[in-house]
Protein backbone atom coordinates (compact mmCIF):
# COMPACT_ATOMS: atom_id res chain seq x y z
CA UNK A 1 0.00 0.00 0.00
CA UNK A 2 2.53 2.53 1.10
CA UNK A 3 4.92 1.80 -1.76
CA UNK A 4 2.12 2.60 -4.22
CA UNK A 5 1.35 5.88 -2.48
CA UNK A 6 5.03 6.71 -2.12
CA UNK A 7 5.51 6.23 -5.87
CA UNK A 8 2.80 8.83 -6.61
CA UNK A 9 3.35 12.57 -6.87
CA UNK A 10 1.19 14.76 -4.65
CA UNK A 11 0.41 18.35 -5.57
CA UNK A 12 -1.99 21.10 -4.48
CA UNK A 13 -4.41 23.46 -6.20
CA UNK A 14 -5.37 26.43 -4.03
CA UNK A 15 -8.32 28.51 -5.25
CA UNK A 16 -7.61 31.54 -3.02
CA UNK A 17 -10.93 31.22 -1.21
CA UNK A 18 -11.99 34.35 0.66
CA UNK A 19 -13.03 33.78 4.29
CA UNK A 20 -15.81 35.60 6.12
CA UNK A 21 -14.36 38.59 7.94
CA UNK A 22 -11.22 38.60 5.80
CA UNK A 23 -10.24 40.50 2.66
CA UNK A 24 -9.42 39.49 -0.89
CA UNK A 25 -5.83 40.58 -0.27
CA UNK A 26 -5.56 38.26 2.73
CA UNK A 27 -6.79 35.35 0.62
CA UNK A 28 -4.10 35.96 -1.97
CA UNK A 29 -1.39 36.26 0.67
CA UNK A 30 -2.69 33.08 2.30
CA UNK A 31 -2.16 31.34 -1.05
CA UNK A 32 1.45 32.46 -1.27
CA UNK A 33 2.15 31.44 2.34
CA UNK A 34 0.59 28.05 1.78
CA UNK A 35 2.83 27.46 -1.22
CA UNK A 36 5.87 28.13 0.95
CA UNK A 37 4.65 25.68 3.59
CA UNK A 38 3.91 22.98 1.03
CA UNK A 39 7.31 23.39 -0.58
CA UNK A 40 8.89 22.64 2.79
CA UNK A 41 6.67 19.55 3.09
CA UNK A 42 7.87 18.18 -0.25
CA UNK A 43 4.79 18.61 -2.45
CA UNK A 44 5.50 18.41 -6.18
CA UNK A 45 3.40 21.26 -7.65
CA UNK A 46 1.40 24.22 -6.47
CA UNK A 47 -1.30 25.52 -8.79
CA UNK A 48 -3.66 28.50 -8.70
CA UNK A 49 -7.03 28.99 -10.39
CA UNK A 50 -9.03 31.45 -12.49
CA UNK A 51 -12.44 32.76 -11.40
CA UNK A 52 -14.14 35.99 -12.41
CA UNK A 53 -16.75 37.93 -10.47
CA UNK A 54 -17.09 35.33 -7.69
CA UNK A 55 -17.57 36.87 -4.21
CA UNK A 56 -15.84 33.96 -2.48
CA UNK A 57 -12.75 33.66 -4.70
CA UNK A 58 -9.90 36.18 -4.97
CA UNK A 59 -7.89 34.38 -7.67
CA UNK A 60 -8.92 36.12 -10.89
CA UNK A 61 -5.51 36.45 -12.58
CA UNK A 62 -3.72 33.09 -12.30
CA UNK A 63 -0.53 33.93 -14.19
CA UNK A 64 -0.02 37.02 -12.02
CA UNK A 65 -0.59 35.02 -8.85
CA UNK A 66 1.66 32.21 -10.14
CA UNK A 67 4.45 34.77 -10.53
CA UNK A 68 4.02 35.82 -6.90
CA UNK A 69 4.07 32.19 -5.77
CA UNK A 70 7.12 31.32 -7.85
CA UNK A 71 8.94 34.40 -6.57
CA UNK A 72 8.27 33.38 -2.96
CA UNK A 73 9.39 29.76 -3.41
CA UNK A 74 12.53 28.01 -4.63
CA UNK A 75 11.95 24.46 -5.84
CA UNK A 76 8.26 23.55 -6.02
CA UNK A 77 6.72 23.58 -9.49
CA UNK A 78 4.20 26.40 -9.97
CA UNK A 79 1.34 26.64 -12.41
CA UNK A 80 -2.32 27.11 -13.13
CA UNK A 81 -5.28 24.86 -12.59
CA UNK A 82 -6.07 26.46 -14.80
CA UNK A 83 -6.11 29.31 -17.22
CA UNK A 84 -9.51 29.13 -18.92
CA UNK A 85 -8.37 29.32 -22.51
CA UNK A 86 -11.72 30.35 -24.07
CA UNK A 87 -11.52 33.56 -22.01
CA UNK A 88 -8.24 34.66 -23.61
CA UNK A 89 -6.36 35.05 -26.86
CA UNK A 90 -3.88 32.15 -27.17
CA UNK A 91 -1.05 34.52 -28.14
CA UNK A 92 -1.43 36.45 -24.88
CA UNK A 93 -1.51 33.22 -22.86
CA UNK A 94 1.66 32.03 -24.60
CA UNK A 95 3.39 35.32 -23.87
CA UNK A 96 2.41 35.19 -20.20
CA UNK A 97 3.73 31.69 -19.73
CA UNK A 98 6.81 32.54 -21.73
CA UNK A 99 7.55 35.34 -19.26
CA UNK A 100 6.95 33.00 -16.30
CA UNK A 101 9.22 30.31 -17.71
CA UNK A 102 11.91 32.87 -18.51
CA UNK A 103 11.84 34.20 -14.95
CA UNK A 104 11.55 30.80 -13.25
CA UNK A 105 13.07 28.29 -15.69
CA UNK A 106 12.14 24.64 -15.26
CA UNK A 107 9.45 25.29 -12.64
CA UNK A 108 6.36 26.45 -14.56
CA UNK A 109 3.31 24.36 -15.55
CA UNK A 110 0.56 25.45 -17.91
CA UNK A 111 -2.76 23.94 -16.78
CA UNK A 112 -5.54 24.83 -19.24
CA UNK A 113 -9.31 24.58 -18.97
CA UNK A 114 -12.25 25.03 -21.34
CA UNK A 115 -14.72 26.87 -19.08
CA UNK A 116 -16.04 30.33 -19.84
CA UNK A 117 -17.42 32.87 -17.38
CA UNK A 118 -19.91 31.38 -14.91
CA UNK A 119 -22.65 33.98 -15.44
CA UNK A 120 -23.98 35.87 -18.44
CA UNK A 121 -22.71 39.12 -16.96
CA UNK A 122 -19.16 37.79 -16.59
CA UNK A 123 -19.19 36.37 -20.11
CA UNK A 124 -20.39 39.69 -21.50
CA UNK A 125 -17.67 41.54 -19.57
CA UNK A 126 -15.06 39.15 -21.00
CA UNK A 127 -16.47 39.47 -24.51
CA UNK A 128 -17.24 35.76 -24.62
CA UNK A 129 -20.25 33.45 -24.77
CA UNK A 130 -20.93 29.81 -23.91
CA UNK A 131 -20.17 28.67 -27.43
CA UNK A 132 -16.53 29.72 -27.16
CA UNK A 133 -15.84 26.60 -25.08
CA UNK A 134 -16.62 24.48 -28.14
CA UNK A 135 -13.47 25.82 -29.84
CA UNK A 136 -11.20 24.68 -27.02
CA UNK A 137 -9.37 22.09 -29.12
CA UNK A 138 -8.51 24.63 -31.80
CA UNK A 139 -7.54 27.24 -29.20
CA UNK A 140 -5.25 24.70 -27.55
CA UNK A 141 -3.60 23.84 -30.86
CA UNK A 142 -3.04 27.52 -31.59
CA UNK A 143 -1.54 28.10 -28.14
CA UNK A 144 0.93 25.23 -28.46
CA UNK A 145 1.83 26.47 -31.92
CA UNK A 146 3.07 29.74 -30.47
CA UNK A 147 5.67 27.82 -28.44
CA UNK A 148 6.76 25.85 -31.51
CA UNK A 149 6.87 28.89 -33.78
CA UNK A 150 4.37 27.45 -36.25
CA UNK A 151 1.80 30.24 -36.38
CA UNK A 152 0.71 30.97 -39.97
CA UNK A 153 0.46 34.68 -39.07
CA UNK A 154 4.19 35.20 -39.27
CA UNK A 155 4.07 36.64 -35.75
CA UNK A 156 6.40 35.25 -33.11
CA UNK A 157 5.39 34.91 -29.45
CA UNK A 158 8.22 36.32 -27.38
CA UNK A 159 9.64 35.10 -25.11
CA UNK A 160 7.53 31.92 -25.43
CA UNK A 161 8.79 30.63 -28.78
CA UNK A 162 11.28 27.82 -28.30
CA UNK A 163 10.52 27.36 -24.60
CA UNK A 164 9.04 24.20 -23.13
CA UNK A 165 6.28 24.85 -20.61
CA UNK A 166 4.52 21.55 -19.78
CA UNK A 167 0.82 21.82 -20.76
CA UNK A 168 -1.96 20.00 -18.92
CA UNK A 169 -5.62 19.76 -19.88
CA UNK A 170 -8.26 20.06 -17.17
CA UNK A 171 -10.65 17.33 -18.22
CA UNK A 172 -14.25 18.23 -17.50
CA UNK A 173 -16.78 16.96 -20.02
CA UNK A 174 -15.03 16.90 -23.40
CA UNK A 175 -11.64 17.63 -21.86
CA UNK A 176 -10.53 13.98 -21.77
CA UNK A 177 -11.07 13.60 -25.50
CA UNK A 178 -9.24 16.85 -26.21
CA UNK A 179 -6.30 15.81 -24.03
CA UNK A 180 -6.08 12.43 -25.76
CA UNK A 181 -6.16 13.90 -29.28
CA UNK A 182 -3.57 16.55 -28.39
CA UNK A 183 -1.32 14.05 -26.60
CA UNK A 184 -1.18 16.03 -23.36
CA UNK A 185 -1.22 15.15 -19.66
CA UNK A 186 -4.72 15.23 -18.20
CA UNK A 187 -6.09 16.44 -14.86
CA UNK A 188 -9.43 14.88 -14.02
CA UNK A 189 -11.82 15.05 -11.06
CA UNK A 190 -13.57 14.73 -8.96
CA UNK A 191 -12.98 11.94 -6.47
CA UNK A 192 -16.66 12.03 -5.49
CA UNK A 193 -17.81 10.53 -8.79
CA UNK A 194 -15.41 7.64 -9.30
CA UNK A 195 -17.36 5.97 -12.11
CA UNK A 196 -17.47 9.11 -14.25
CA UNK A 197 -13.83 9.84 -13.50
CA UNK A 198 -12.81 6.31 -14.48
CA UNK A 199 -14.72 6.53 -17.77
CA UNK A 200 -12.83 9.71 -18.59
CA UNK A 201 -9.49 8.10 -17.73
CA UNK A 202 -10.25 5.00 -19.79
CA UNK A 203 -11.25 7.11 -22.81
CA UNK A 204 -8.10 9.19 -22.45
CA UNK A 205 -5.77 6.20 -22.29
CA UNK A 206 -7.50 4.37 -25.12
CA UNK A 207 -7.42 7.33 -27.52
CA UNK A 208 -4.15 8.95 -26.47
CA UNK A 209 -1.90 9.98 -29.38
CA UNK A 210 1.76 10.64 -28.52
CA UNK A 211 2.91 14.20 -29.12
CA UNK A 212 6.05 16.29 -28.73
CA UNK A 213 4.69 17.20 -25.28
CA UNK A 214 4.04 13.67 -23.96
CA UNK A 215 5.01 10.27 -25.30
CA UNK A 216 2.49 8.39 -23.16
CA UNK A 217 -0.63 9.12 -21.08
CA UNK A 218 -0.17 10.96 -17.80
CA UNK A 219 -3.14 11.08 -15.43
CA UNK A 220 -3.58 13.46 -12.51
CA UNK A 221 -6.67 12.80 -10.37
CA UNK A 222 -7.97 15.75 -8.36
CA UNK A 223 -10.27 16.25 -5.42
CA UNK A 224 -10.66 17.13 -1.76
CA UNK A 225 -8.50 15.32 0.79
CA UNK A 226 -8.91 16.18 4.48
CA UNK A 227 -6.74 14.55 7.16
CA UNK A 228 -7.06 15.13 10.89
CA UNK A 229 -6.57 13.42 14.25
CA UNK A 230 -10.17 12.14 14.23
CA UNK A 231 -12.81 11.52 11.55
CA UNK A 232 -14.96 14.23 13.14
CA UNK A 233 -12.22 16.85 12.84
CA UNK A 234 -11.61 15.86 9.22
CA UNK A 235 -15.32 16.23 8.48
CA UNK A 236 -15.35 19.72 9.98
CA UNK A 237 -12.72 20.74 7.45
CA UNK A 238 -15.30 20.03 4.75
CA UNK A 239 -18.13 22.04 6.34
CA UNK A 240 -17.33 25.59 5.07
CA UNK A 241 -16.95 24.54 1.44
CA UNK A 242 -20.01 22.30 1.59
CA UNK A 243 -22.14 25.17 2.88
CA UNK A 244 -20.79 27.71 0.39
CA UNK A 245 -21.53 25.29 -2.44
CA UNK A 246 -25.03 24.64 -1.08
CA UNK A 247 -25.61 28.39 -0.83
CA UNK A 248 -24.44 28.93 -4.40
CA UNK A 249 -26.84 26.30 -5.69
CA UNK A 250 -29.79 27.79 -3.86
CA UNK A 251 -28.97 31.51 -4.17
CA UNK A 252 -26.90 31.73 -7.36
CA UNK A 253 -23.73 33.21 -5.83
CA UNK A 254 -20.72 31.52 -4.26
CA UNK A 255 -20.03 33.33 -0.95
CA UNK A 256 -16.91 33.60 1.23
CA UNK A 257 -16.18 30.57 3.38
CA UNK A 258 -17.85 30.72 6.81
CA UNK A 259 -16.42 29.18 10.01
CA UNK A 260 -17.60 25.61 10.56
CA UNK A 261 -19.14 26.44 13.92
CA UNK A 262 -21.42 29.06 12.35
CA UNK A 263 -22.57 26.64 9.66
CA UNK A 264 -23.37 23.98 12.26
CA UNK A 265 -25.72 26.43 14.01
CA UNK A 266 -27.59 27.50 10.87
CA UNK A 267 -31.26 26.77 10.30
CA UNK A 268 -31.28 25.47 6.72
CA UNK A 269 -34.16 24.99 4.32
CA UNK A 270 -34.75 21.45 3.12
CA UNK A 271 -33.14 22.25 -0.22
CA UNK A 272 -30.11 23.86 1.43
CA UNK A 273 -29.76 20.89 3.78
CA UNK A 274 -29.89 18.46 0.86
CA UNK A 275 -27.10 20.23 -1.04
CA UNK A 276 -25.08 20.74 2.15
CA UNK A 277 -25.23 17.09 3.22
CA UNK A 278 -24.36 15.90 -0.27
CA UNK A 279 -21.36 18.24 -0.23
CA UNK A 280 -19.95 16.43 2.80
CA UNK A 281 -19.83 12.94 1.30
CA UNK A 282 -17.54 11.24 -1.19
CA UNK A 283 -14.34 13.07 -0.32
CA UNK A 284 -11.20 11.43 1.08
CA UNK A 285 -11.54 12.50 4.71
CA UNK A 286 -10.48 10.91 7.98
CA UNK A 287 -7.45 9.94 9.99
CA UNK A 288 -4.10 9.23 8.40
CA UNK A 289 -4.77 5.50 8.28
CA UNK A 290 -8.25 5.96 6.83
CA UNK A 291 -7.07 8.34 4.14
CA UNK A 292 -4.08 6.14 3.30
CA UNK A 293 -6.47 3.23 2.70
CA UNK A 294 -8.74 5.37 0.51
CA UNK A 295 -5.79 6.71 -1.46
CA UNK A 296 -4.57 3.19 -2.12
CA UNK A 297 -7.98 2.28 -3.50
CA UNK A 298 -8.09 5.33 -5.78
CA UNK A 299 -4.58 4.73 -7.09
CA UNK A 300 -5.25 1.06 -7.74
CA UNK A 301 -8.46 1.89 -9.62
CA UNK A 302 -7.09 4.74 -11.69
CA UNK A 303 -3.36 3.96 -11.99
CA UNK A 304 -2.90 7.72 -11.78
CA UNK A 305 0.63 9.07 -11.65
CA UNK A 306 -0.32 12.09 -9.54
CA UNK A 307 -2.91 13.38 -7.08
CA UNK A 308 -3.87 17.07 -7.11
CA UNK A 309 -5.44 18.02 -3.77
CA UNK A 310 -8.02 20.83 -3.93
CA UNK A 311 -9.12 21.21 -0.29
CA UNK A 312 -10.52 24.57 0.85
CA UNK A 313 -11.66 25.47 4.37
CA UNK A 314 -12.02 28.42 6.75
CA UNK A 315 -9.53 27.28 9.41
CA UNK A 316 -6.10 27.88 7.90
CA UNK A 317 -4.27 26.19 10.80
CA UNK A 318 -6.39 23.05 10.38
CA UNK A 319 -5.78 23.12 6.63
CA UNK A 320 -2.02 23.33 7.14
CA UNK A 321 -2.22 20.45 9.63
CA UNK A 322 -4.17 18.39 7.09
CA UNK A 323 -1.45 18.91 4.50
CA UNK A 324 1.24 18.00 7.05
CA UNK A 325 -0.57 14.77 7.86
CA UNK A 326 -1.04 13.97 4.18
CA UNK A 327 2.69 14.55 3.60
CA UNK A 328 3.41 12.01 6.33
CA UNK A 329 1.19 9.47 4.57
CA UNK A 330 2.94 9.97 1.24
CA UNK A 331 6.44 9.67 2.69
CA UNK A 332 5.95 6.39 4.55
Amino acid sequence: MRSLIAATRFSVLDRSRIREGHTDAEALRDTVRLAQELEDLGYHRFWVAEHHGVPGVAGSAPTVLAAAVAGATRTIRVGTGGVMLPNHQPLVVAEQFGVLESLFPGRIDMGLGRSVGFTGGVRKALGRDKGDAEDFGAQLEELLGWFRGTSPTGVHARPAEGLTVPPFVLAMGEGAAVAARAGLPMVIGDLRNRDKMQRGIDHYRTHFRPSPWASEPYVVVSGTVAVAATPEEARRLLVPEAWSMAYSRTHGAFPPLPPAERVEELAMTDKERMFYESGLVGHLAGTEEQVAHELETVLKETAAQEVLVTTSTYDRAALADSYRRLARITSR
Side-chain angles (χ1 to χ4, degrees), residues 295-315:
L295 277 172
E296 180 202 6
T297 300
V298 169
L299 294 173
K300 281 184 175 179
E301 290 174 353
T302 64
Q305 289 97 329
E306 189 168 340
V307 176
L308 181 68
V309 184
T310 61
T311 310
S312 297
T313 194
Y314 180 91
D315 188 335

Side-chain angles (χ1 to χ4, degrees), residues 35-108:
Q36 294 171 321
E37 294 169 4
L38 296 179
E39 179 176 65
D40 292 338
L41 290 171
Y43 283 86
H44 184 61
R45 309 180 203 275
F46 187 89
W47 283 4
V48 296
E50 175 183 342
H51 295 272
H52 299 283
V54 180
V57 183
S60 57
T63 54
V64 177
L65 185 53
V69 170
T73 54
R74 305 174 310 280
T75 57
I76 194 168
R77 296 195 65 86
V78 177
T80 56
V83 165
M84 296 300 132
L85 195 51
N87 290 338
H88 309 281
Q89 291 297 330
L91 169 61
V92 175
V93 175
E95 290 171 337
Q96 290 173 345
F97 279 97
V99 169
L100 284 170
E101 177 63 21
S102 298
L103 292 172
F104 308 102
R107 291 180 56 205
I108 301 301

Side-chain angles (χ1 to χ4, degrees), residues 243-268:
W243 167 246
S244 291
M245 189 61 69
Y247 186 93
S248 74
R249 292 186 175 182
T250 52
H251 295 77
F254 191 92
L257 294 175
E261 54 268 24
R262 188 175 79 74
V263 176
E264 291 166 345
E265 294 173 355
L266 286 174
M268 302 183 195

Side-chain angles (χ1 to χ4, degrees), residues 55-210:
V57 183
S60 57
T63 54
V64 177
L65 185 53
V69 170
T73 54
R74 305 174 310 280
T75 57
I76 194 168
R77 296 195 65 86
V78 177
T80 56
V83 165
M84 296 300 132
L85 195 51
N87 290 338
H88 309 281
Q89 291 297 330
L91 169 61
V92 175
V93 175
E95 290 171 337
Q96 290 173 345
F97 279 97
V99 169
L100 284 170
E101 177 63 21
S102 298
L103 292 172
F104 308 102
R107 291 180 56 205
I108 301 301
D109 300 321
M110 186 168 58
L112 304 161
R114 67 189 296 272
S115 297
V116 292
F118 183 67
T119 66
V122 169
R123 290 191 293 272
K124 183 177 180 181
L126 291 170
R128 298 293 187 268
D129 59 43
K130 286 185 177 180
D132 288 316
E134 302 306 315
D135 297 327
F136 179 59
Q139 294 159 353
L140 183 62
E141 183 178 1
E142 180 184 343
L143 172 61
L144 299 180
W146 289 115
F147 286 92
R148 296 193 300 267
T150 58
S151 171
T153 65
V155 175
H156 298 274
R158 306 194 187 281
E161 188 174 310
L163 298 180
T164 300
V165 182
F168 295 74
V169 171
L170 276 60
M172 301 298 178
E174 294 300 312
V178 173
R181 286 195 301 269
L184 300 180
M186 177 184 70
V187 183
I188 189 166
D190 65 27
L191 294 172
R192 301 176 65 205
N193 192 336
R194 305 282 182 85
D195 290 341
K196 181 180 179 181
M197 185 175 71
Q198 192 63 54
R199 289 195 298 272
I201 291 171
D202 292 343
H203 180 94
Y204 169 70
R205 289 201 173 109
T206 299
H207 296 91
F208 182 86
R209 300 191 303 206

